[in-house]
Amino acid sequence: MFEALKLLRSTAFRLSLVYLAVFAVFAGLLIAYLSWNTWVIFSRQLIDTIDAEVQGLAEQYRIGGVLRLIQVIDQRTGNPSSSLYLLEDPDGNRLTGNVARVPLQVWKEDDAVRIRYERFNEGVGSNHEAIVRVFLLPGGFRLLVGRDIEERRRLQDIIWRSTLLGVVLMVVLGVGGGYYVSRRILARIDAVSETSRTIMAGDLSQRMALSGSGDEFDRLAESLNAMLARIERLMHGLKEVSDNIAHDLKTPLTRLRSRVEAALRAEPTEASYREALETTIEESDRLIAVFNALLMIARAEAGAAGASFATVDLSDVARDVVELYEPVAEEEGQSLTVEASRKAEIHGNRELIGQAIANLVDNALKYAPAEAGGRDISVSVRCQGDRAQIAVADSGPGIPAELRDKVVERFARLEESRSAPGAGLGLALVAAVASLHGGELRFEDNEPGLRAILDLPAGSGKMTGA
């Protein structure tokens, strides 16, 4: 009972009833109009036929008088038809015709009228319906001519009964169809609601079921599933970040606290306190840099920087970054060059793209030192069709192919780079910036060394060059 009430109260069922009511009213009005218009046309044609026949009989009367008129009427009534005739003398006596009796007021009518009458040679009480017209002849004779409409009336009744039956069947089928459609729709909605409750309970792996029909519910389910997959990835990333923060920041915070405690336990001198404070500030700066990097990654992944997109020339950005890091490279005995002679304009965030290029250059300088063979580092900007590529290549030890997917994760660091300063967030930020701009970060062998490529789409910007 509850299920039936739930279906009856559903929007789909109520909409089905509304459409059914509108269609039924429209169909009824249309059928009524057609029926009425058909009857009007039929009556007009019938009256025109009667008028023509009356004129013809009046002409016969003028030619041959009453005897000829009686002869013509007898001849016509001898053949079975729907035509009606009645001729009376001035005293009201019936002279000929196939009509036995008509209402007296009919003889006073000037126009065609619809009457009930009795046929001649039929039993008393026979009752038929006809349209007739009365014509007064010279000498006081009265002529009645008409057409029986009984069969047409019965046909009209059949049409009306059929129409009524059709409307009833339409209502029954409409209600049944609405019930069936509502039940199917309600089942799909209930499935979505049940899955939503399961997801809200904490099971983010659940997805909306697809029927395979490709209808609007399937398209909605696909969009919801894509959104849920995105939310699951973000939640998984948040958990991963939380775990990584707890793991990777615990050590520097503990070290910071230990140094402060050691300074407090030591002989209170100005030099020891200064050294402890300087060390604390240095460690704090590293922690602040880590949190700034995490915030920048979160900002990029959330798409918050999309509102500040503008036309950016990647060549200018690359040259600025190389100019900034050239002194560092020279100090480390490395060569840093840039190949970006042509414009490569895209639609993006200049600050984030500059930070991404800087991270790639910084990684190349840091993890491909001169003593490891990484003397030559190059930054190039190229355009290929509707894509722009910023490549940072070095001649250092590179990254094994099986670890290249791992290095873009937060706080991910290879064993051989553990001794180098850093928190393992640089490449994660580059990957987030690439994703924000609809591009990707990929790695290739430079033979020897590593080639990191930031591949970005042109978007609504304009790119020129080879």
Side-chain angles (χ1 to χ4, degrees):
M1 182 64 180
F2 176 76
E3 188 69 21
L5 289 175
K6 187 178 179 182
L7 285 171
L8 294 177
R9 289 161 50 191
S10 66
T11 301
F13 186 78
R14 284 182 290 183
L15 284 176
S16 298
L17 290 183
V18 170
Y19 289 137
L20 175 64
V22 171
F23 182 77
V25 170
F26 176 77
L29 292 176
L30 179 62
I31 293 172
Y33 171 77
L34 292 176
S35 178
W36 174 80
N37 202 42
T38 301
W39 176 257
V40 169
I41 294 174
F42 163 74
S43 299
R44 186 178 297 118
Q45 291 177 344
L46 198 61
I47 292 172
D48 291 342
T49 302
I50 293 173
D51 287 342
E53 195 165 6
V54 167
Q55 294 300 325
L57 292 174
E59 183 66 23
Q60 294 294 330
Y61 178 79
R62 283 193 295 270
I63 294 174
V66 174
L67 293 179
R68 182 173 177 82
L69 182 59
I70 293 174
Q71 182 181 3
V72 172
I73 292 175
D74 288 341
Q75 183 179 2
R76 293 184 180 182
T77 56
N79 301 319
S81 68
S82 60
S83 298
L84 302 177
Y85 306 97
L86 178 61
L87 179 62
E88 292 185 352
D89 61 15
D91 297 328
N93 298 316
R94 176 182 174 279
L95 298 178
T96 188
N98 54 4
V99 177
R101 185 178 296 106
V102 296
L104 294 177
Q105 65 270 20
V106 172
W107 301 107
K108 301 177 184 179
E109 297 290 344
D110 295 329
D111 297 323
V113 293
R114 187 171 176 174
I115 65 169
R116 310 292 300 187
Y117 74 97
E118 294 182 7
R119 276 185 176 271
F120 186 70
N121 293 331
E122 285 189 0
V124 178
S126 63
N127 198 1
H128 301 276
E129 192 170 4
I131 294 179
V132 300
R133 178 183 286 278
V134 173
F135 187 73
L136 298 178
L137 299 173
F141 293 94
R142 297 182 298 184
L143 174 64
L144 181 144
V145 179
R147 288 289 188 275
D148 189 288
I149 60 173
E150 190 71 22
E151 292 183 0
R152 291 179 175 82
R153 188 183 59 80
R154 285 198 296 267
L155 179 60
Q156 190 178 33
D157 291 342
I158 292 174
I159 293 174
W160 277 108
R161 285 195 296 269
S162 300
T163 301
L164 180 60
L165 179 61
V167 171
V168 172
L169 288 176
M170 181 177 62
V171 171
V172 172
L173 293 176
V175 172
Y179 183 84
Y180 173 74
V181 171
S182 302
R183 187 171 181 178
R184 284 180 58 86
I185 293 176
L186 196 59
R188 298 286 296 274
I189 294 177
D190 286 343
V192 172
S193 300
E194 183 64 28
T195 304
S196 301
R197 283 191 289 269
T198 304
I199 293 171
M200 287 188 292
D203 187 1
L204 295 178
S205 64
Q206 292 292 321
R207 295 293 181 268
M208 304 299 171
L210 300 175
S211 66
S213 62
D215 59 4
E216 58 274 12
F217 281 100
D218 272 6
R219 294 195 296 272
L220 176 61
E222 288 173 354
S223 299
L224 290 176
N225 287 341
M227 179 186 69
L228 291 172
R230 173 67 173 164
I231 292 174
E232 185 180 18
R233 286 195 300 271
L234 291 176
M235 294 299 293
H236 179 73
L238 180 61
K239 180 179 181 299
E240 199 173 67
V241 169
S242 301
D243 293 343
N244 290 334
I245 289 176
H247 181 269
D248 286 32
L249 298 187
K250 181 179 179 181
T251 300
L253 288 173
T254 302
R255 187 166 57 246
L256 184 66
R257 188 176 187 279
S258 299
R259 288 174 178 170
V260 172
E261 287 181 345
L264 291 175
R265 287 195 302 267
E267 187 68 25
T269 64
E270 182 179 349
S272 62
Y273 280 171
R274 176 177 291 276
E275 181 181 359
L277 288 174
E278 288 176 350
T279 305
T280 300
I281 291 174
E282 183 180 347
E283 197 71 41
S284 299
D285 287 341
R286 282 197 291 268
L287 290 174
I288 291 173
V290 170
F291 280 109
N292 285 339
L294 288 172
L295 289 174
M296 189 172 290
I297 292 173
R299 182 186 175 201
E301 289 184 340
S308 58
F309 274 20
T311 301
V312 178
D313 185 359
L314 298 180
S315 297
D316 285 345
V317 178
R319 281 192 290 267
D320 290 343
V321 172
V322 169
E323 183 180 354
L324 177 66
Y325 277 90
E326 272 181 336
V328 179
E330 291 177 1
E331 184 179 340
E332 298 294 333
Q334 296 168 302
S335 171
L336 180 60
T337 60
V338 59
E339 182 185 347
S341 59
R342 300 185 180 183
K343 284 187 176 182
E345 296 182 346
I346 71 165
H347 196 64
N349 184 291
R350 183 184 180 89
E351 177 189 355
L352 290 179
I353 293 175
Q355 185 63 56
I357 299 175
N359 285 4
L360 293 177
V361 172
D362 185 69
N363 275 7
L365 293 171
K366 188 185 302 180
Y367 300 117
E371 58 269 19
R375 291 184 179 276
D376 298 321
I377 300 172
S378 65
V379 179
S380 61
V381 179
R382 288 187 175 86
C383 301
Q384 293 182 349
D386 60 349
R387 310 289 294 184
Q389 295 181 350
I390 307 104
V392 179
D394 62 61
S395 54
I399 301 175
E402 64 273 11
L403 298 178
R404 289 174 184 173
D405 291 336
K406 178 179 175 59
V407 295
V408 297
E409 297 176 0
R410 295 182 182 90
F411 299 105
R413 305 189 71 189
L414 301 181
E415 290 299 327
E416 53 270 22
S417 63
R418 289 286 179 179
S419 58
L425 295 172
L427 293 179
L429 175 59
V430 178
V433 171
S435 177
L436 174 66
H437 290 80
E440 62 173 346
L441 171 65
R442 65 177 185 270
F443 302 99
E444 297 177 355
D445 289 328
N446 197 39
E447 298 178 353
L450 181 71
R451 182 180 175 86
I453 301 174
L454 182 60
D455 191 339
L456 302 175
S460 60
K462 180 184 69 176
M463 296 191 303
T464 59

